[in-house]
Amino acid sequence: MAKAVTDATFDQEVLQAGGVALVDFWAPWCGPCRRQGPIIDELAEDYAGRANIVKLNVDENPDTAGRFGIQGIPTLLLFKDGKLVDTMVGLQSKETLVKKIESLL
């Protein structure tokens, strides 16, 4: 299960944690987000200890979503050592995400 981050914990959990982090910006009312969720949870298990795979509910955490200019969801942001390196908007396949994560490890 992917860990949930909030406006209060985002910097510590993602930007300051170092290494690779994938953040799923989502909302419970979003159909594509609900389809993306299980993929994100699988990746969190697959990459436990190697990459930080987390979710951020945009309805409950509007500050972080606004800070990164999130317009549509799902949006997935990929970070390496606290720096944003990739942005993906819309439902992404597990294969696509695995390739992107592996390229940064």
Side-chain angles (χ1 to χ4, degrees):
M1 208 55 184
K3 183 177 188 173
V5 293
T6 65
D7 286 341
T9 63
F10 184 86
D11 285 4
Q12 179 183 349
E13 296 280 343
V14 176
L15 302 181
Q16 297 164 4
V20 176
L22 177 68
V23 184
D24 176 19
F25 288 80
W26 73 287
W29 49 264
C30 162
C33 298
R34 288 197 306 269
R35 291 196 302 279
Q36 188 75 70
I39 295 169
I40 298 301
D41 289 338
E42 282 180 36
L43 290 171
E45 288 182 29
D46 293 350
Y47 286 96
R50 296 193 299 147
N52 194 13
I53 313 294
V54 300
K55 297 179 181 184
L56 184 131
N57 182 323
V58 298
D59 287 345
E60 296 174 357
N61 302 282
D63 293 347
T64 303
R67 189 166 130 203
F68 288 96
I70 304 302
Q71 301 282 320
I73 51 174
T75 293
L76 294 106
L77 300 184
L78 197 53
F79 294 85
K80 171 80 177 197
D81 297 326
K83 292 181 176 43
L84 179 63
V85 295
D86 202 352
T87 302
M88 299 156 275
V89 179
L91 184 62
Q92 303 294 317
S93 71
K94 183 175 181 181
E95 294 75 22
T96 296
L97 296 173
V98 164
K99 283 179 190 168
K100 289 182 181 274
I101 293 167
E102 287 290 333
S103 74
L104 297 174
L105 289 175

XYZ file of all heavy atoms in Angstrom:
800
model
N 0.839 -1.179 0.000
C 0.000 0.000 0.000
C 0.887 1.246 0.000
O 1.804 1.366 0.803
C -0.823 -0.066 1.271
C -2.171 0.567 1.317
S -3.327 0.081 0.090
C -4.611 1.179 0.554
N 0.623 2.146 -0.898
C 1.396 3.384 -0.953
C 1.038 4.270 0.233
O -0.114 4.347 0.649
C 1.113 4.116 -2.259
N 2.035 4.923 0.768
C 1.848 5.817 1.902
C 1.185 7.110 1.434
O 1.496 7.629 0.358
C 3.218 6.121 2.509
C 3.174 6.988 3.731
C 4.578 7.151 4.288
C 4.531 7.859 5.613
N 5.842 7.887 6.247
N 0.279 7.642 2.247
C -0.348 8.923 1.952
C 0.497 10.041 2.535
O 0.933 9.958 3.682
C -1.758 8.970 2.527
N 0.767 11.055 1.722
C 1.457 12.240 2.219
C 0.475 13.404 2.193
O -0.547 13.359 1.505
C 2.729 12.578 1.405
C 3.780 11.508 1.587
C 2.427 12.785 -0.060
N 0.785 14.441 2.960
C -0.085 15.603 3.090
C 0.720 16.871 2.826
O 1.950 16.822 2.672
C -0.667 15.678 4.514
O 0.419 15.901 5.430
C -1.409 14.399 4.891
N 0.024 18.010 2.827
C 0.722 19.284 2.713
C 1.796 19.388 3.795
O 2.887 19.901 3.560
C -0.263 20.457 2.860
C -1.143 20.646 1.628
O -0.784 20.150 0.539
O -2.197 21.302 1.761
N 1.475 18.907 4.989
C 2.386 19.025 6.138
C 3.595 18.090 6.036
O 4.671 18.413 6.552
C 1.631 18.753 7.433
N 3.439 16.933 5.385
C 4.526 15.947 5.364
C 5.246 15.840 4.027
O 6.253 15.138 3.926
C 3.994 14.548 5.741
O 3.041 14.118 4.753
C 3.353 14.550 7.122
N 4.756 16.514 2.990
C 5.291 16.342 1.640
C 6.794 16.614 1.558
O 7.553 15.793 1.027
C 4.545 17.223 0.638
C 4.991 17.021 -0.777
C 4.436 16.024 -1.555
C 5.985 17.815 -1.332
C 4.858 15.818 -2.859
C 6.418 17.614 -2.635
C 5.849 16.617 -3.398
N 7.227 17.767 2.051
C 8.645 18.117 1.924
C 9.541 17.080 2.588
O 10.529 16.643 2.005
C 8.912 19.501 2.516
C 8.411 20.623 1.616
O 7.783 20.328 0.571
O 8.640 21.796 1.959
N 9.178 16.676 3.797
C 9.988 15.707 4.533
C 9.974 14.343 3.848
O 11.016 13.703 3.693
C 9.476 15.582 5.963
C 10.245 14.573 6.784
C 9.674 14.410 8.188
O 8.838 15.185 8.619
N 10.123 13.383 8.883
N 8.793 13.882 3.432
C 8.649 12.531 2.876
C 9.166 12.402 1.437
O 9.568 11.317 1.025
C 7.178 12.105 2.903
C 6.597 11.989 4.282
C 6.962 10.697 4.975
O 7.387 9.751 4.301
O 6.828 10.642 6.204
N 9.130 13.501 0.679
C 9.484 13.429 -0.742
C 10.752 14.219 -1.063
O 11.724 13.663 -1.554
C 8.307 13.928 -1.620
C 8.701 13.940 -3.092
C 7.079 13.055 -1.405
N 10.743 15.502 -0.777
C 11.844 16.356 -1.208
C 13.113 16.154 -0.394
O 14.216 16.194 -0.931
C 11.419 17.829 -1.154
C 10.199 18.193 -2.005
C 9.901 19.676 -1.887
C 10.398 17.796 -3.463
N 12.981 15.932 0.908
C 14.151 15.808 1.765
C 14.581 14.364 1.985
O 15.637 14.112 2.561
C 13.868 16.484 3.119
C 13.621 17.965 2.982
C 12.962 18.581 4.212
O 12.749 17.922 5.217
N 12.610 19.849 4.095
N 13.789 13.421 1.516
C 14.081 12.001 1.766
C 15.235 11.485 0.915
O 15.845 10.474 1.234
C 12.828 11.156 1.534
N 15.537 12.157 -0.185
C 16.596 11.686 -1.072
C 16.130 10.496 -1.892
O 15.060 9.939 -1.673
N 16.939 10.119 -2.849
C 16.604 8.980 -3.695
C 15.476 9.291 -4.659
O 15.214 10.442 -5.002
N 14.791 8.238 -5.084
C 13.715 8.337 -6.068
C 12.364 8.339 -5.360
O 12.139 7.540 -4.453
C 13.779 7.158 -7.072
C 12.611 7.187 -8.029
C 15.103 7.177 -7.819
N 11.498 9.252 -5.792
C 10.137 9.300 -5.244
C 9.144 9.493 -6.377
O 9.365 10.303 -7.278
C 10.004 10.431 -4.229
N 8.055 8.741 -6.327
C 6.944 8.890 -7.263
C 5.728 9.311 -6.453
O 5.371 8.651 -5.474
C 6.655 7.563 -7.975
C 5.456 7.567 -8.930
C 5.740 8.433 -10.156
C 5.090 6.159 -9.350
N 5.124 10.435 -6.849
C 3.971 10.956 -6.133
C 2.758 10.926 -7.053
O 2.782 11.484 -8.147
C 4.205 12.407 -5.655
C 3.013 12.899 -4.832
C 5.495 12.523 -4.862
N 1.697 10.265 -6.598
C 0.428 10.183 -7.315
C -0.517 11.239 -6.736
O -0.952 11.128 -5.603
C -0.158 8.773 -7.140
C -1.533 8.608 -7.767
O -1.913 9.426 -8.631
O -2.231 7.642 -7.385
N -0.799 12.281 -7.528
C -1.777 13.298 -7.139
C -3.130 12.803 -7.626
O -3.332 12.611 -8.825
C -1.430 14.647 -7.780
C -0.222 15.301 -7.175
C 1.057 14.912 -7.538
C -0.366 16.316 -6.249
C 2.175 15.517 -6.984
C 0.743 16.932 -5.686
C 2.010 16.531 -6.057
N -4.079 12.613 -6.710
C -5.340 11.948 -7.025
C -6.475 12.524 -6.186
O -6.256 13.343 -5.298
C -5.216 10.445 -6.755
C -5.199 10.144 -5.284
C -4.175 10.370 -4.400
C -6.261 9.602 -4.512
N -4.541 9.994 -3.137
C -5.818 9.527 -3.166
C -7.547 9.186 -4.819
C -6.621 9.037 -2.145
C -8.337 8.698 -3.793
C -7.874 8.620 -2.472
N -7.700 12.079 -6.485
C -8.883 12.397 -5.678
C -9.824 11.195 -5.742
O -9.877 10.496 -6.762
C -9.589 13.644 -6.192
N -10.590 10.951 -4.667
C -11.450 9.765 -4.625
C -12.577 9.774 -5.651
O -13.055 8.716 -6.031
C -12.005 9.757 -3.198
C -11.638 11.052 -2.586
C -10.560 11.674 -3.400
N -12.991 10.929 -6.137
C -14.095 11.015 -7.101
C -13.644 10.817 -8.549
O -14.459 10.762 -9.457
C -14.803 12.371 -6.971
C -13.849 13.529 -6.959
C -13.360 14.166 -5.860
C -13.238 14.158 -8.088
N -12.479 15.166 -6.234
C -12.387 15.180 -7.601
C -13.317 13.964 -9.466
C -11.635 15.997 -8.433
C -12.563 14.782 -10.297
C -11.737 15.784 -9.779
N -12.342 10.681 -8.762
C -11.758 10.622 -10.106
C -11.637 9.167 -10.567
O -10.899 8.385 -9.976
C -10.390 11.321 -10.058
S -9.281 10.961 -11.418
N -12.380 8.812 -11.621
C -12.362 7.440 -12.143
C -10.983 6.945 -12.541
O -10.550 5.878 -12.098
N -10.258 7.689 -13.391
C -8.906 7.249 -13.758
C -7.980 7.136 -12.544
O -7.117 6.264 -12.499
C -8.425 8.331 -14.722
C -9.682 8.888 -15.310
C -10.697 8.838 -14.190
N -8.181 7.997 -11.546
C -7.372 7.919 -10.321
C -7.617 6.602 -9.596
O -6.685 5.990 -9.064
C -7.706 9.068 -9.365
S -7.368 10.711 -10.009
N -8.870 6.169 -9.580
C -9.195 4.913 -8.902
C -8.569 3.730 -9.635
O -8.235 2.721 -9.025
C -10.708 4.751 -8.766
C -11.293 5.715 -7.726
C -12.676 5.316 -7.271
N -13.621 5.140 -8.346
C -14.417 6.097 -8.836
N -14.366 7.302 -8.335
N -15.256 5.834 -9.808
N -8.422 3.834 -10.952
C -7.755 2.770 -11.711
C -6.234 2.839 -11.524
O -5.561 1.818 -11.555
C -8.121 2.848 -13.194
C -9.578 2.472 -13.432
C -9.903 2.152 -14.871
N -9.636 3.208 -15.824
C -10.432 4.257 -16.070
N -11.553 4.405 -15.395
N -10.102 5.157 -16.971
N -5.704 4.048 -11.335
C -4.265 4.215 -11.125
C -3.849 3.709 -9.748
O -2.752 3.179 -9.577
C -3.889 5.702 -11.256
C -2.392 5.968 -11.243
C -1.744 5.578 -12.551
O -1.948 6.222 -13.568
N -0.956 4.520 -12.533
N -4.731 3.850 -8.755
C -4.414 3.522 -7.369
C -3.812 2.151 -7.145
O -2.757 2.029 -6.495
N -4.430 1.073 -7.654
C -3.856 -0.261 -7.437
C -2.461 -0.419 -8.052
O -1.622 -1.139 -7.508
C -4.863 -1.197 -8.113
C -6.141 -0.423 -8.125
C -5.746 1.013 -8.277
N -2.210 0.258 -9.155
C -0.880 0.204 -9.784
C 0.136 0.865 -8.867
O 1.238 0.343 -8.654
C -0.906 0.887 -11.174
C -1.819 0.109 -12.129
C 0.505 1.021 -11.743
C -2.126 0.816 -13.440
N -0.237 2.005 -8.300
C 0.653 2.715 -7.380
C 0.929 1.852 -6.147
O 2.071 1.763 -5.673
C 0.041 4.079 -6.981
C -0.132 4.974 -8.220
C 0.873 4.776 -5.908
C 1.136 5.281 -8.980
N -0.112 1.188 -5.633
C 0.071 0.311 -4.466
C 1.019 -0.843 -4.784
O 1.863 -1.211 -3.962
C -1.275 -0.214 -3.974
C -2.114 0.863 -3.313
O -1.554 1.889 -2.858
O -3.350 0.693 -3.256
N 0.899 -1.425 -5.985
C 1.804 -2.511 -6.392
C 3.241 -2.011 -6.462
O 4.163 -2.687 -6.001
C 1.407 -3.053 -7.771
C 0.219 -3.980 -7.772
C -0.096 -4.461 -9.190
O 0.854 -4.682 -9.980
O -1.288 -4.604 -9.501
N 3.428 -0.830 -7.040
C 4.772 -0.267 -7.154
C 5.372 -0.001 -5.773
O 6.565 -0.200 -5.557
C 4.747 1.029 -7.973
C 4.462 0.859 -9.462
C 4.255 2.224 -10.109
C 5.567 0.099 -10.163
N 4.534 0.447 -4.839
C 5.011 0.702 -3.477
C 5.563 -0.584 -2.862
O 6.595 -0.561 -2.182
C 3.889 1.276 -2.618
N 4.895 -1.692 -3.115
C 5.380 -2.985 -2.620
C 6.630 -3.423 -3.373
O 7.612 -3.847 -2.768
C 4.291 -4.051 -2.754
C 3.157 -3.898 -1.770
C 2.114 -5.007 -1.903
O 2.480 -6.129 -2.313
O 0.951 -4.729 -1.593
N 6.591 -3.305 -4.693
C 7.711 -3.744 -5.527
C 8.995 -2.981 -5.211
O 10.091 -3.538 -5.296
C 7.389 -3.564 -7.019
C 6.269 -4.477 -7.499
O 5.861 -5.390 -6.746
O 5.779 -4.267 -8.633
N 8.866 -1.706 -4.897
C 10.041 -0.852 -4.700
C 10.289 -0.486 -3.238
O 11.053 0.433 -2.953
C 9.927 0.415 -5.557
C 10.170 0.128 -7.008
C 9.105 -0.090 -7.875
C 11.462 0.029 -7.520
C 9.319 -0.385 -9.209
C 11.685 -0.271 -8.849
C 10.609 -0.472 -9.691
O 10.838 -0.779 -11.010
N 9.679 -1.197 -2.311
C 9.886 -0.932 -0.886
C 11.379 -0.959 -0.570
O 12.088 -1.895 -0.948
C 9.146 -1.965 -0.043
N 11.859 0.098 0.062
C 13.263 0.182 0.411
C 14.159 0.706 -0.695
O 15.330 0.992 -0.472
N 13.620 0.831 -1.925
C 14.438 1.314 -3.050
C 13.939 2.633 -3.611
O 14.714 3.419 -4.137
C 14.475 0.280 -4.171
C 15.142 -1.008 -3.743
C 15.465 -1.901 -4.916
N 14.273 -2.302 -5.646
C 14.240 -2.505 -6.962
N 15.313 -2.350 -7.695
N 13.123 -2.876 -7.546
N 12.626 2.862 -3.539
C 12.030 4.112 -4.019
C 10.829 4.432 -3.135
O 10.202 3.531 -2.573
C 11.592 3.980 -5.477
N 10.530 5.700 -3.015
C 9.434 6.166 -2.178
C 8.212 6.393 -3.083
O 8.214 7.327 -3.886
C 9.868 7.462 -1.480
C 8.964 7.836 -0.350
O 8.140 7.050 0.096
N 9.113 9.057 0.124
N 7.209 5.540 -2.980
C 6.001 5.634 -3.806
C 4.867 6.091 -2.896
O 4.480 5.363 -1.974
C 5.643 4.270 -4.449
C 6.873 3.594 -5.077
C 4.505 4.441 -5.441
C 7.489 4.287 -6.248
N 4.336 7.301 -3.145
C 3.338 7.881 -2.246
C 2.171 8.469 -3.021
O 2.253 8.691 -4.229
C 3.971 8.965 -1.336
C 5.080 8.372 -0.478
C 4.492 10.139 -2.151
N 1.075 8.737 -2.278
C -0.130 9.342 -2.850
C -0.453 10.630 -2.111
O -0.239 10.720 -0.902
C -1.334 8.405 -2.684
C -1.223 7.081 -3.391
C -2.472 6.265 -3.097
C -2.419 4.898 -3.752
N -3.653 4.151 -3.536
N -0.989 11.608 -2.841
C -1.430 12.850 -2.231
C -2.832 13.175 -2.745
O -3.025 13.327 -3.949
C -0.466 13.996 -2.548
C -0.824 15.304 -1.858
C 0.401 15.890 -1.176
C -1.403 16.302 -2.826
N -3.793 13.235 -1.831
C -5.177 13.556 -2.167
C -5.269 15.066 -2.392
O -5.076 15.845 -1.450
C -6.092 13.098 -1.027
C -7.560 13.340 -1.300
O -7.943 14.337 -1.895
N -8.388 12.431 -0.831
N -5.562 15.481 -3.620
C -5.554 16.909 -3.951
C -6.692 17.680 -3.282
O -6.560 18.877 -3.029
C -5.578 17.153 -5.475
C -4.327 16.573 -6.124
C -6.829 16.583 -6.128
N -7.799 17.001 -2.978
C -8.911 17.674 -2.298
C -8.543 18.033 -0.859
O -8.912 19.085 -0.354
C -10.165 16.793 -2.288
C -10.821 16.702 -3.659
O -10.492 17.530 -4.533
O -11.645 15.796 -3.848
N -7.807 17.147 -0.208
C -7.432 17.350 1.188
C -6.138 18.137 1.341
O -5.833 18.629 2.426
C -7.290 15.992 1.887
C -8.591 15.223 1.961
C -8.414 13.817 2.522
O -7.266 13.405 2.807
O -9.439 13.127 2.667
N -5.357 18.249 0.257
C -4.039 18.892 0.316
C -3.837 19.840 -0.871
O -2.958 19.619 -1.713
C -2.942 17.823 0.337
C -3.108 16.882 1.508
O -2.769 17.224 2.626
N -3.675 15.711 1.257
N -4.634 20.906 -0.931
C -4.581 21.799 -2.096
C -3.296 22.617 -2.199
O -2.914 23.025 -3.302
C -5.794 22.707 -1.901
C -6.038 22.710 -0.422
C -5.656 21.325 0.033
N -2.596 22.838 -1.096
C -1.391 23.669 -1.144
C -0.291 23.018 -1.977
O 0.321 23.663 -2.832
C -0.876 23.963 0.266
C -1.827 24.848 1.065
O -2.743 25.436 0.458
O -1.653 24.931 2.293
N -0.039 21.741 -1.730
C 1.015 21.045 -2.476
C 0.616 20.889 -3.940
O 1.435 21.084 -4.835
C 1.324 19.676 -1.839
O 1.696 19.889 -0.475
C 2.451 18.975 -2.571
N -0.644 20.571 -4.201
C -1.117 20.453 -5.584
C -0.937 21.790 -6.309
O -0.476 21.826 -7.458
C -2.580 20.013 -5.604
N -1.263 22.877 -5.646
C -1.101 24.196 -6.246
C 0.356 24.548 -6.472
O 0.719 25.149 -7.491
N 1.188 24.189 -5.529
C 2.623 24.470 -5.612
C 3.254 23.841 -6.852
O 4.168 24.410 -7.454
C 3.276 23.918 -4.351
C 4.699 24.292 -4.139
C 5.030 23.956 -2.693
N 6.238 23.191 -2.609
C 6.556 22.400 -1.611
N 5.748 22.220 -0.608
N 7.698 21.765 -1.605
N 2.761 22.675 -7.238
C 3.303 21.985 -8.408
C 2.439 22.168 -9.655
O 2.663 21.511 -10.666
C 3.522 20.497 -8.096
C 4.682 20.276 -7.173
C 4.486 20.130 -5.814
C 5.981 20.266 -7.654
C 5.552 19.959 -4.941
C 7.066 20.096 -6.795
C 6.845 19.949 -5.439
N 1.449 23.054 -9.574
C 0.638 23.391 -10.744
C -0.202 22.245 -11.263
O -0.414 22.126 -12.470
N -0.684 21.401 -10.363
C -1.490 20.252 -10.781
C -2.832 20.760 -11.308
O -3.597 21.388 -10.587
C -1.706 19.263 -9.609
C -0.372 18.804 -9.015
C -2.561 18.074 -10.056
C 0.582 18.143 -9.976
N -3.102 20.501 -12.582
C -4.337 20.936 -13.232
C -5.325 19.786 -13.399
O -6.505 19.939 -13.177
C -4.021 21.536 -14.610
C -3.092 22.720 -14.563
C -3.796 23.986 -14.138
O -4.917 24.232 -14.539
N -3.132 24.787 -13.324
N -4.822 18.654 -13.865
C -5.660 17.477 -14.093
C -5.121 16.313 -13.280
O -3.945 16.270 -12.949
N -6.005 15.393 -12.953
C -5.578 14.217 -12.195
C -6.078 12.957 -12.889
O -7.084 13.020 -13.606
C -6.076 14.270 -10.724
C -7.570 14.541 -10.671
C -5.291 15.305 -9.939
C -8.168 14.468 -9.286
N -5.408 11.837 -12.738
C -4.186 11.705 -11.960
C -2.993 12.392 -12.633
O -2.873 12.378 -13.855
C -3.964 10.197 -11.886
C -4.617 9.659 -13.126
C -5.781 10.572 -13.377
N -2.152 12.989 -11.819
C -0.845 13.475 -12.254
C 0.183 12.780 -11.389
O 0.021 12.712 -10.171
C -0.722 15.003 -12.106
O -1.616 15.638 -13.025
C 0.693 15.469 -12.388
N 1.210 12.262 -12.036
C 2.287 11.595 -11.311
C 3.570 12.395 -11.508
O 3.928 12.709 -12.642
C 2.468 10.163 -11.816
C 1.259 9.290 -11.498
C 0.460 9.041 -12.750
C 1.683 7.999 -10.872
N 4.198 12.740 -10.395
C 5.466 13.460 -10.434
C 6.567 12.532 -9.956
O 6.407 11.819 -8.965
C 5.422 14.702 -9.537
C 4.370 15.755 -9.856
C 4.533 16.959 -8.932
C 4.422 16.193 -11.305
N 7.676 12.553 -10.665
C 8.819 11.715 -10.338
C 9.974 12.619 -9.897
O 10.320 13.570 -10.606
C 9.208 10.894 -11.566
C 10.082 9.677 -11.411
C 9.546 8.698 -10.377
C 10.234 8.963 -12.747
N 10.509 12.327 -8.722
C 11.590 13.123 -8.147
C 12.841 12.272 -7.982
O 12.760 11.085 -7.707
C 11.196 13.642 -6.756
C 10.059 14.621 -6.768
C 8.745 14.176 -6.757
C 10.302 15.984 -6.770
C 7.688 15.072 -6.752
C 9.254 16.894 -6.768
C 7.936 16.438 -6.757
N 13.992 12.914 -8.137
C 15.287 12.268 -7.852
C 16.051 13.222 -6.951
O 16.306 14.372 -7.333
C 16.048 12.000 -9.154
C 17.477 11.533 -8.972
C 17.560 10.061 -8.646
C 19.033 9.671 -8.547
N 19.266 8.278 -8.626
N 16.356 12.779 -5.753
C 17.075 13.594 -4.767
C 16.426 14.960 -4.565
O 17.100 15.989 -4.526
C 18.546 13.744 -5.170
C 19.268 12.404 -5.188
O 18.926 11.535 -4.350
O 20.158 12.208 -6.034
N 15.101 14.967 -4.489
C 14.359 16.186 -4.204
C 14.091 17.090 -5.384
O 13.456 18.137 -5.244
N 14.556 16.704 -6.560
C 14.346 17.517 -7.758
C 13.324 16.843 -8.673
O 13.417 15.645 -8.936
C 15.652 17.714 -8.515
C 16.653 18.570 -7.757
C 17.911 18.754 -8.560
C 18.914 19.671 -7.898
N 19.108 19.503 -6.495
N 12.368 17.620 -9.172
C 11.368 17.097 -10.101
C 12.032 16.763 -11.419
O 12.681 17.621 -12.036
C 10.269 18.148 -10.304
C 9.144 17.775 -11.261
C 8.372 16.565 -10.753
C 8.206 18.960 -11.447
N 11.882 15.504 -11.864
C 12.520 15.077 -13.107
C 11.531 14.644 -14.186
O 11.895 14.563 -15.352
C 13.560 13.950 -12.882
C 14.732 14.461 -12.050
C 12.936 12.735 -12.231
N 10.278 14.380 -13.817
C 9.293 13.944 -14.822
C 7.882 14.207 -14.313
O 7.618 14.095 -13.112
C 9.460 12.455 -15.124
C 8.884 12.051 -16.479
O 8.218 12.886 -17.126
O 9.094 10.896 -16.885
N 7.006 14.564 -15.244
C 5.590 14.790 -14.956
C 4.770 13.987 -15.948
O 4.999 14.072 -17.156
C 5.235 16.291 -15.098
O 6.048 17.042 -14.208
C 3.767 16.535 -14.791
N 3.827 13.207 -15.430
C 2.938 12.416 -16.285
C 1.495 12.724 -15.900
O 1.148 12.612 -14.725
C 3.217 10.922 -16.093
C 4.632 10.519 -16.469
S 5.164 9.003 -15.618
C 5.744 9.671 -14.065
N 0.694 13.111 -16.880
C -0.705 13.426 -16.617
C -1.568 12.344 -17.251
O -1.362 11.970 -18.404
C -1.079 14.811 -17.185
C -2.546 15.117 -16.927
C -0.202 15.895 -16.579
N -2.529 11.843 -16.486
C -3.411 10.790 -16.984
C -2.965 9.424 -16.506
O -1.886 9.260 -15.934
N -3.824 8.450 -16.738
C -3.580 7.078 -16.311
C -2.320 6.529 -16.980
O -2.162 6.626 -18.197
C -4.800 6.224 -16.682
C -4.803 4.771 -16.260
C -4.745 4.641 -14.744
C -6.056 4.089 -16.790
N -1.415 5.973 -16.169
C -0.148 5.420 -16.664
C -0.105 3.920 -16.385
O -0.544 3.469 -15.329
C 1.037 6.094 -15.968
C 1.080 7.596 -16.104
C 1.306 8.061 -17.525
O 2.133 7.511 -18.247
N 0.553 9.065 -17.933
N 0.465 3.171 -17.321
C 0.585 1.721 -17.124
C 1.713 1.424 -16.135
O 2.634 2.222 -15.943
C 0.891 1.028 -18.454
O 2.216 1.329 -18.874
N 1.627 0.260 -15.525
C 2.685 -0.158 -14.603
C 4.014 -0.248 -15.348
O 5.048 0.173 -14.823
C 2.331 -1.509 -13.964
C 3.367 -1.942 -12.938
C 2.971 -3.205 -12.209
C 4.025 -3.575 -11.167
N 3.693 -4.812 -10.460
N 3.989 -0.751 -16.575
C 5.210 -0.907 -17.361
C 5.893 0.441 -17.588
O 7.119 0.563 -17.458
C 4.905 -1.578 -18.712
C 4.434 -3.012 -18.603
C 2.978 -3.162 -18.116
O 2.189 -2.198 -18.250
O 2.646 -4.225 -17.569
N 5.117 1.461 -17.927
C 5.669 2.798 -18.150
C 6.326 3.319 -16.885
O 7.445 3.844 -16.915
C 4.556 3.773 -18.602
O 4.044 3.332 -19.860
C 5.065 5.196 -18.722
N 5.633 3.158 -15.766
C 6.158 3.666 -14.505
C 7.399 2.902 -14.061
O 8.352 3.504 -13.568
C 5.073 3.628 -13.431
C 3.872 4.547 -13.716
C 2.775 4.309 -12.696
C 4.293 6.001 -13.746
N 7.418 1.595 -14.264
C 8.589 0.785 -13.917
C 9.801 1.276 -14.714
O 10.888 1.459 -14.152
C 8.329 -0.716 -14.156
C 9.627 -1.509 -14.172
C 7.378 -1.260 -13.101
N 9.639 1.499 -16.013
C 10.758 1.973 -16.848
C 11.301 3.296 -16.338
O 12.512 3.502 -16.252
C 10.313 2.129 -18.308
C 10.197 0.836 -19.058
C 9.738 1.080 -20.475
C 9.402 -0.232 -21.147
N 8.700 -0.058 -22.412
N 10.395 4.208 -15.987
C 10.823 5.530 -15.525
C 11.526 5.444 -14.173
O 12.545 6.092 -13.954
C 9.631 6.480 -15.470
C 9.149 6.849 -16.870
C 8.006 7.830 -16.852
C 7.541 8.159 -18.245
N 8.278 9.231 -18.866
N 10.989 4.635 -13.263
C 11.621 4.479 -11.945
C 12.985 3.807 -12.098
O 13.985 4.271 -11.536
C 10.710 3.667 -10.990
C 9.449 4.465 -10.667
C 11.474 3.300 -9.714
C 8.343 3.645 -9.998
N 13.037 2.739 -12.865
C 14.296 2.000 -13.040
C 15.385 2.878 -13.648
O 16.557 2.738 -13.298
C 14.080 0.769 -13.940
C 13.314 -0.354 -13.269
C 14.089 -1.060 -12.169
O 15.338 -1.083 -12.210
O 13.428 -1.563 -11.233
N 15.003 3.799 -14.517
C 16.009 4.669 -15.155
C 16.663 5.609 -14.152
O 17.743 6.149 -14.425
C 15.369 5.469 -16.294
O 14.553 6.514 -15.771
N 16.032 5.799 -12.995
C 16.566 6.721 -11.986
C 17.266 6.020 -10.826
O 17.937 6.675 -10.024
C 15.445 7.593 -11.443
C 14.765 8.523 -12.456
C 13.584 9.208 -11.824
C 15.754 9.535 -12.987
N 17.073 4.710 -10.707
C 17.683 3.984 -9.577
C 19.161 3.708 -9.813
O 19.639 3.653 -10.891
C 16.941 2.664 -9.327
C 15.541 2.813 -8.747
C 14.876 1.440 -8.658
C 15.570 3.474 -7.389
